[in-house]
Amino acid sequence: MKIVMWIMGVLMALVGIGYAIGLAIPAEQTHTRTINLQQTPETIFAVLADVEKMPSWNEGLEKVEVIPPIDGHEASRHTFKGNLQMTIVTTASHPPSHLIRSMGDEEGPFVGSWTYN
């Protein structure tokens, strides 16, 4: 019985530590990556804008299915390795310099967007 109580105490401590770490993470985060490419902006934009071909260059993505527009914006259903699925909505597209894709599942596992400039 003492072992069961000890195990329960350790589990409760781990949950408490996880909760405290979660509270320390900011509600909003921004991660920025920069890369210099030799291709023209038009070429890069064409690759990023072609959602159906994304699995050919995104190794974590298994398939992309174009779905009906959401609030008038292009939308697609992405299936990642491990069967994680997300709806992605193109919220801004200004070729060849600006593209924003947002996660369209408000109840999904993540909330956020990607901005390409």
Side-chain angles (χ1 to χ4, degrees), residues 23-116:
L23 289 175
I25 297 173
E28 293 186 24
Q29 300 179 37
T30 300
H31 300 274
T32 302
R33 302 288 183 266
T34 301
I35 185 171
N36 293 317
L37 302 169
Q38 294 181 3
Q39 294 82 358
T40 65
E42 291 80 9
T43 301
I44 300 301
F45 192 91
V47 170
L48 293 173
D50 191 349
V51 295
E52 292 181 89
K53 289 187 181 172
M54 280 182 156
S56 70
W57 56 266
N58 184 336
E59 61 188 42
L61 190 56
E62 289 186 350
K63 72 177 183 175
V64 173
E65 172 190 3
V66 175
I67 60 174
I70 297 175
D71 295 331
H73 297 286
E74 174 188 88
S76 53
R77 190 80 177 146
H78 294 221
T79 302
F80 294 88
K81 290 184 178 174
N83 205 32
L84 172 66
Q85 293 186 341
M86 284 190 271
T87 300
I88 306 296
V89 179
T90 301
T91 53
S93 180
H94 306 287
S97 61
H98 189 70
L99 180 67
I100 299 176
R101 291 224 167 90
S102 302
M103 295 177 198
D105 298 320
E106 296 200 16
E107 300 298 322
F110 306 103
V111 175
S113 65
W114 295 269
T115 302
Y116 303 96

